[in-house]
Amino acid sequence: MKTAILISGRGSNMEALLTAAADPDYPAGIALVLSNRPGAPGLDKAAARGIPTLVVDHKQYDSREAFEAAVTDALADAGAELVCLAGFMRLLTDGFVERWRDRLINIHPSLLPAFRGLHTHEQALAAGVRLHGCTVHFTRPAMDEGPIIAQAAVPVHPDDDADTLADRVLAAEHRIYPLAVRLIAEGRARVENERVLVDDAAIPQTPLINPAG
Ligand code: GRF
C-alpha cells in the first residue's frame, strides 16, 4: 500500500515506519515524506534512506485551503493510498479530513480519549494516572478523535517527569505505528460504526497493573 507520511519535526515515528517498510515482507511502502516546515530534521533522515521528500511550507500560502490543495496535489502525484500524520503540527480542515476518510491516520501520545491536545505527558502527570500511553487512530474532523486502531499502555513511575514519561511512551509509539499501518495495509483493520474491527488480532489476556503489588 503506497503510504505518505506528513511530518513537522524530528520524525522518530516516521523513522519507525521507514524501518518497518524497509522489510520486503512489510505490506506498505513509503512513497513520500512531506513536511510543512522546511527545516524539519525528519526530512534529512528520510532523504538519507532514499525516500522522496517534499516541503510544502504553509507560510507560503494565503489560506489553509490553499496549503492543503498543494498537499493534496503532492499526495496524488505520489499515488498515496494511505496518509500517516507523524508529528504533523498543522490543524487540517474538515474538507481535507473527509476527503481522506478512513485513509488518514494519526498517532497521539495518550490513551485517547484521555488527554487530547498538547502537553499530554504533563496532563497525565497532573491527573495522577498510573497508566499512560499512545493511540493510533483514523482521523476525524474533531482534533484527536476517530476510530482507534491500536493503543499501547505504559506505567507511570513515581519519579517520572514529562521527559522520562515521554521517552517511555515514544518507545511504545514506535511499536504501534508500524503495527497499525500493517493491519490497514493487510486489509485487517476496517471501520464499522465508527469502531475499528481487526481480523485475526492477537489480544493480550493479562492486565497491566500499576502498582503491581
Ligand atoms: C509524537 O509524540 C507523536 O505522538 C506526536 O508528536 C510527536 C512526534 O514525534 N503526535 P516524532 O516527530 O515522530 O519524533
Side-chain angles (χ1 to χ4, degrees), residues 13 85-87 105-121 123 132-137 143-145 150-152 169 173 176-177:
N13 278 290
L85 305 176
I105 66 177
N106 180 45
I107 186 154
H108 181 75
S110 78
L111 288 171
L112 290 173
F115 314 136
R116 295 188 170 109
L118 296 174
H119 309 300
T120 55
H121 310 304
Q123 290 188 56
H132 182 41
C134 49
T135 303
V136 181
H137 63 97
M143 192 179 63
D144 300 328
E145 258 189 52
Q151 291 185 305
V169 171
E173 293 183 38
I176 65 166
Y177 216 172

